[in-house]
Amino acid sequence: GEDVEQSLFLSVREGDSSVINCTYTDSSSTYLYWYKQEPGAGLQLLTYIFSNMDMKQDQRLTVLLNKKDKHLSLRIADTQTGDSAIYFCAERAGTYKYIFGTGTRLKVLA
Amino acid sequence: GAGVSQSPSNKVTEKGKDVELRCDPISGHTALYWYRQSLGQGLEFLIYFQGNSAPDKSGLPSDRFSAERTGGSVSTLTIQRTQQEDSAVYLCASSLAVDTQYFGPGTRLTVL
């Protein structure tokens, strides 16, 4: 069935790069997304990538897509304490159907 | 408004009571989604509205859950005879047609 998997936790030191990984199962997904959720808040769209792209860069964020392996990653350069949050990967698996991962809790150590 | 708003932000209720959760989408957004986020879980799709089309209710977990969207704008999610397992954060999102979703801050529901 359709599933999106992420590791649950990641801890990095301030200033280092963070890499959050995600695997998905639906090869027909058209768009893949990264959302950030801070405590007590809803999900904030960070970036997205169209399925015919391999990479997308947006300031400190780099998204890599390996469609063959159905693997998506989000790299955050120069990670700051304000980046501490839960990061959700999501695939658009149909016209309006979105499948979300369980989220990766990123903790940035000062 | 500038973004999706939801009310109340927190709701504590007793088992067996009914609750109503409200979502105000971004003005002009035709699509509206409800999700449930349980502790340590991803987002569970509940229901989808698009314009005047019949909603996709396939994610509603039981017949105690219902939702409506009046005038193609505000939506209300109703949970009847609440159970403890209904405790979760209920998130609403809206989008322009089938474009990217924008989320509200959620309603944290606690059923005692």
Side-chain angles (χ1 to χ4, degrees):
Chain A
E2 298 155 336
D3 199 11
V4 176
E5 293 189 353
Q6 302 178 238
S7 54
L8 291 180
F9 298 101
L10 176 66
S11 179
V12 299
R13 295 210 172 273
E14 192 174 19
D16 288 350
S17 291
S18 307
V19 179
I20 303 171
N21 295 301
C22 168
T23 57
Y24 60 98
T25 56
D26 190 339
S27 58
S28 65
S29 294
T30 53
Y31 289 89
L32 295 123
Y33 302 82
W34 285 104
Y35 285 86
K36 176 183 181 183
Q37 185 181 35
E38 295 182 272
L43 274 68
Q44 172 198 353
L45 177 66
L46 282 180
T47 187
Y48 64 92
I49 188 167
F50 189 51
S51 59
N52 68 354
M53 298 170 64
D54 297 324
M55 185 182 87
K56 181 178 180 181
Q57 186 150 4
D58 184 0
Q59 299 181 336
R60 292 191 297 123
L61 305 179
T62 303
V63 178
L64 295 178
L65 175 60
N66 181 328
K67 201 172 179 183
K68 174 175 169 288
D69 294 337
K70 300 190 187 72
H71 182 267
L72 183 74
S73 68
L74 173 70
R75 178 177 181 269
I76 306 172
D78 186 26
T79 313
Q80 303 297 307
T81 54
D83 295 324
S84 292
I86 302 175
Y87 291 81
F88 289 90
C89 166
E91 61 171 334
R92 183 166 149 188
T95 306
Y96 58 82
K97 190 175 183 183
Y98 295 79
I99 310 295
F100 286 81
T102 53
T104 298
R105 185 179 295 274
L106 173 65
K107 184 173 181 180
V108 181
L109 305 171
Chain B
V4 179
S5 61
Q6 292 185 245
S7 60
S9 55
N10 279 285
K11 177 71 177 178
V12 180
T13 190
E14 293 179 349
K15 179 181 171 181
K17 300 280 191 187
D18 298 351
V19 295
E20 283 190 353
L21 312 180
R22 177 186 167 106
C23 172
D24 281 88
I26 293 172
S27 178
H29 279 193
T30 56
L32 187 146
Y33 304 75
W34 281 99
Y35 294 90
R36 180 167 69 176
Q37 183 181 18
S38 302
L39 191 64
Q41 303 291 317
L43 271 67
E44 175 189 4
F45 166 78
L46 297 177
I47 189 168
Y48 163 76
F49 295 91
Q50 173 60 275
N52 295 321
S53 303
D56 179 345
K57 305 179 182 180
S58 60
L60 295 177
S62 78
D63 59 8
R64 296 187 295 105
F65 287 72
S66 62
E68 62 177 24
R69 188 178 184 192
T70 53
S73 180
V74 171
S75 177
T76 303
L77 176 69
T78 301
I79 309 173
Q80 295 179 308
R81 305 181 302 283
T82 51
Q83 303 295 312
Q84 288 183 330
E85 61 262 28
D86 299 334
S87 295
V89 176
Y90 290 82
L91 292 166
C92 174
S94 71
S95 68
L96 196 59
V98 292
D99 205 343
T100 303
Q101 298 176 87
Y102 294 87
F103 283 81
T107 293
R108 181 175 297 278
L109 174 66
T110 303
V111 182
L112 302 176

